[in-house]
Amino acid sequence: MNRFDYVRPSTVAEAVQALGSDPAARFIAGGTNLIDLMKYDVERPGKLIDITRLPLDKIEERDGGLRIGALVTNAALAYDARIRERYPLLADAILAGASAQLRNAASTGGNLLQRTRCYYFYDTATPCNKREPGTGCSAIGGVDRIHAILGTSEHCIATHPSDMCVALAALEATVRVSGPQGDRAIPFAEFHRLPGDDPAKDTNLAPGEIIVSVDLPARGFAGHHTYLKLRDRLSYAFALVSVAAALELDGRTIRTARLALGGVAHKPWRNTDAEALLQGRPATRESFKAAADLVLREAKPQSTNGFKIELARRAIVRGLEQAAAGTPQSQSDKRIQ
Ligand SMILES: Cc1cc2nc3c(=O)[nH]c(=O)nc-3n(C[C@H](O)[C@H](O)[C@H](O)COP(=O)(O)OP(=O)(O)OC[C@H]3O[C@@H](n4cnc5c(N)ncnc54)[C@H](O)[C@@H]3O)c2cc1C
Ligand code: SF4
């Protein structure tokens, strides 16, 4: 058994201090990912810093938008009346993920920092550059059906598994963090990173930093949005491909478009070129196909996941059609409209 220390700070400053520069210390929030990783012997923390008593569990009004504390649970967030009314894209994305029990425990900060579901990352008997840098990538040339088609590197082809993060990318959220060097705000697009030659690093968090909140801007795209999640089972499964689509329309002309994909890359894959292409165009299937082609222009299949390219193409078109029609896919009751 791996022995570890356990501390429970009551302020953010104490939590940051407890983490210090100890590379073996880990924050624990809902524990729904970290405890699994400890059971699989992927994580062997020397110290667990239980942050569940920090005062970060509120959703507050801020500059016309909302500030979501890092400890707000996925369930509390998805069912908050302000989120449902003003940011239904986010509520739908959260409810598409995990299970009711998991969402009751899982936190906002933990969701951002959940690790990949690559089989080899969890299997300590196999080489994996993300788990053990420099050992190689077993997925390349291995079982790669669930892996990435965009932004891969020769060192890692893993995907980021979160649903919530795909919606946060489309909504242009900001992540607020606190650390030894003080507080800072990270635009969502810069929070997660591509694998490059250092796949062990999932994000641009600096050592010792804690997520304090996620801020949503005022614009929520409540009128025209959808979170479309395609997976092997309709519940309790990670996305093969997901699409967060949001539109503002003048009649049938697209004034603003937001488009982000999940299940296809090491980070939520927002494509601002495709959004720009849609701006000023009619909200038609032809426009949506052109956007899908642009998003997938650089897509590269692995040995068995080429189907994801066509799946993503169709999902983008369907997601944008649902958003334009104002008939979002319902995740809560599983009817597909
Ligand atoms: C069976 C199963 C199915 C799932 N299905 C889905 C799904 O379909 N879609 C989906 O999106 N997710 C899914 N999940 C993942 C789930 O959403 C995450 O496990 C959860 O969001 C993690 O939150 P947590 O609070 O439990 O994190 P923890 O496990 O406590 O922590 C995760 C990581 O985040 C770090 N951390 C936590 N909070 C902070 C903070 N404030 N600042 C800095 N670091 C922090 C921890 O140190 C740890 O490294 C599934 C999980 C399971 C077990
Ligand atoms: S894809 Fe990434 S996480 Fe999976 S085995 Fe390769 S290096 Fe590890």
Side-chain angles (χ1 to χ4, degrees), residues 238-322:
F238 290 91
L240 288 168
V241 169
S242 69
V243 174
L247 298 171
E248 284 172 349
L249 301 174
D250 275 330
R252 293 306 293 163
T253 303
I254 299 167
R255 184 157 24 110
T256 314
R258 296 282 175 80
L259 186 59
L261 270 65
V264 297
H266 198 258
K267 60 184 283 189
W269 192 264
R270 182 176 169 201
N271 190 309
T272 50
D273 289 341
E275 293 172 4
L277 176 145
L278 287 170
Q279 197 176 334
R281 287 210 185 192
T284 58
R285 177 166 271 244
E286 287 62 42
S287 303
F288 301 151
K289 278 184 174 168
D293 286 344
L294 186 54
V295 172
L296 296 163
R297 200 174 43 184
E298 311 281 326
K300 197 172 128 229
Q302 305 301 322
S303 57
T304 60
N305 73 352
F307 74 95
K308 277 195 178 189
I309 298 178
E310 185 56 23
L311 193 65
R313 194 183 312 280
R314 292 175 186 219
I316 292 169
V317 173
R318 182 167 146 197
L320 285 165
E321 282 185 332
Q322 288 176 339

Side-chain angles (χ1 to χ4, degrees), residues 28-47:
I28 182 161
T32 60
N33 191 216
L34 184 57
I35 299 287
D36 276 357
L37 291 167
M38 289 167 67
K39 287 183 193 161
Y40 281 97
D41 210 24
V42 175
E43 287 274 11
R44 298 172 65 82
K47 177 163 65 175

